Each structure stands twice: as structure tokens, then as C-alpha cells.
Amino acid sequence: MWTKQNTPSISSSNTTDMANDKKPSVVKGTTPRGVFVFPAVTAPDYGNAAFPKPDGEYKVNLRLTEEEAEPLIKKLTPIYELAYKEGQEAYDALPVANRKKLRNGFQMNDMFEREYDKETEEETGNVIFKFKSKASGKNKKGETWTRKPGIFNAKGIALKNAPQVWGGTEGKVSYSVNPYFIPGTGVAGIALRLEAVQILELVSAGSKSASSYGFGEEEGYDEADEFPAEGAASEGTAAPEGEEEF
């Protein structure tokens, strides 16, 4: 769990809205290039018997080195600070009886996770950011909606019939971010919603990446020749803004 003392340093320009108590509009962005871990971007993850996800969930964990992650951390920090401020206020506003039941008091979920080597249990120097979005749900009118993240190739072309995207694939993630607070647990944080992914080096169906064979980028065949698409990669009815739960 994160504590106030561990707040990343941020410039004064990034804290202007917070200083004026102005809630910023929904922040969107694109991550640096990283490695996909346990991705589910071509088909939803419905969980398992012990932990079912009936609405389905698209997700991708992105592995970055600490250096690569710096621009992303800098962009997310003001929203993280806002989540802390609003979460603390919401926690303080809870009835006393409710707060007494929360033994750990107010807490913040971490912005990212640090990666540890399974054998040595030492830090690898990498960090993991988790992005996800619901595959379906209902709006306030009770109407069902479905959505899926866009999938684009290295040239920015949307893939309608995208290949399976396996762990080890390299690419970027388009995301939106919102602060949240859960009254039942007293926990706050920021939700990183998966909007789309760009595949820069594909690993599919157990294959190895091009770089593992010593291949680099060359002129010639492109996956867009096999998987053409027009427009966005999403299908069905898009989720209304603000309807999705994290």
C-alpha cells in the first residue's frame, strides 16, 4: 500500500488544478513501449469458478523498466494525488461506526507493482502497470452494452480480424484514468481503463518474438496485408461515458 510519504515528486505545473481544487477532465494517454504480460485483448477473460467475471474483462499488464516508466508516472501522479485527496475526504465523511469497522483506516492502492525475480525474490528493476475494461454491462436505462479495445498494428492500422496476442508481445497501451474510492474497504486509487493497444512486435500462439531470432524491422510484408480493417476495431455498442465500473 502507498503512503503519503512515498508521493512521487511532481512539478508545480502538474499540481495547478489540484491547488485550485479543480477536478480535471478525464485524462487519456498512451504508454511507452513495453512488454505485455497476461494479455486478454482479442477475447474477454471470464475468470474461473472461484473468481468468475460474468461481464467479461479485457486486460493487459504492461512491463516497463523504471526508466521507461518515468513519463507515465509523471503523467499519472497528479491524478494519483487527487485520488488521495478525494479519498481521504470521502473516508473522513463516513459515519463513525463505518470507519471503526475499517481496522486499517484509509489506504491507497499502489499506482503500479514492482516486479520480483521468482528465484532470488529480488527486484528486477521493472514495474507493472495494469489496464482493464469491462466487456459488457448495462447503462442507467437498463440497456445492455458491449465493447472491446481497439487493436492496431505498428503502422497505426486497425485490425478487424486480429491474431491472438500472447504474453511477450511488445506494444503500447491507450488508456483513460479515473480516481476511485471504495467506502466498504476505505481504499482509494486510480483505475487505468484499457482503450486500445498497438502491436509493435507480436508473440502469438506460443511463438517467439522477432527480436529473439535476431530480426529487426525491414521493408516488406506487413500484418495489415492479412488483417485489413476499416475504421475502429471495436464491435457492438460502446459503453456510455462514465457507465463502466472498475
Side-chain angles (χ1 to χ4, degrees):
M1 287 289 184
W2 177 89
T3 62
K4 185 65 175 176
Q5 288 73 25
N6 294 330
T7 307
S9 60
I10 52 179
S11 66
S12 58
S13 61
N14 286 336
T15 58
T16 300
D17 285 344
M18 293 170 53
N20 295 330
D21 292 328
K22 293 181 180 179
K23 188 171 183 177
S25 57
V26 176
V27 174
K28 297 184 178 182
T30 302
T31 70
R33 177 173 181 156
V35 178
F36 292 1
V37 181
F38 301 122
V41 296
T42 54
D45 172 21
Y46 289 98
N48 52 43
F51 301 99
K53 300 176 182 178
D55 294 325
E57 179 181 88
Y58 290 101
K59 64 180 183 178
V60 61
N61 296 344
L62 187 71
R63 178 192 295 131
L64 299 166
T65 66
E66 292 184 2
E67 183 178 0
E68 292 168 341
E70 285 184 2
L72 181 57
I73 293 174
K74 183 177 181 180
K75 185 177 182 68
L76 295 178
T77 292
I79 315 303
Y80 196 70
E81 287 278 4
L82 179 63
Y84 179 91
K85 177 177 179 294
E86 292 186 341
Q88 183 70 70
E89 291 174 351
Y91 175 81
D92 292 341
L94 291 174
V96 175
N98 291 29
R99 282 189 275 114
K100 292 294 185 180
K101 294 178 182 178
L102 303 175
R103 296 181 179 180
N104 295 322
F106 173 67
Q107 298 182 82
M108 283 287 288
N109 277 333
D110 294 325
M111 186 191 304
F112 54 81
E113 294 182 359
R114 295 193 178 277
E115 184 184 60
Y116 292 88
D117 185 275
K118 292 182 179 180
E119 295 183 359
T120 66
E121 298 187 355
E122 298 291 334
E123 291 187 11
T124 64
N126 297 326
V127 295
I128 305 290
F129 286 85
K130 296 184 176 183
F131 303 86
K132 61 182 181 179
S133 62
K134 287 177 63 174
S136 65
K138 290 186 178 181
N139 60 23
K140 295 179 181 179
K141 297 181 180 179
E143 300 169 334
T144 300
W145 55 262
T146 61
R147 71 181 302 276
K148 63 186 302 184
I151 302 178
F152 297 81
N153 68 10
K155 295 186 177 180
I157 299 175
L159 305 179
K160 184 177 181 180
N161 300 308
Q164 292 184 1
V165 178
W166 284 42
T169 293
E170 295 184 23
K172 298 181 177 181
V173 178
S174 175
Y175 65 88
S176 58
V177 54
N178 294 95
Y180 65 82
F181 174 71
I182 306 174
T185 59
V187 174
I190 56 174
L192 301 176
R193 175 171 144 173
L194 173 63
E195 301 288 349
V197 297
Q198 183 180 28
I199 306 302
L200 301 178
E201 192 166 327
L202 176 68
V203 174
S204 183
S207 64
K208 294 183 179 180
S209 65
S211 61
S212 68
Y213 291 109
F215 296 145
E217 182 177 353
E218 301 286 349
E219 291 295 328
Y221 169 77
D222 185 88
E223 65 266 32
D225 298 331
E226 185 175 352
F227 303 103
E230 295 182 1
S234 59
E235 297 178 356
T237 304
E241 194 72 28
E243 289 291 344
E244 183 169 349
E245 297 179 359
F246 292 92

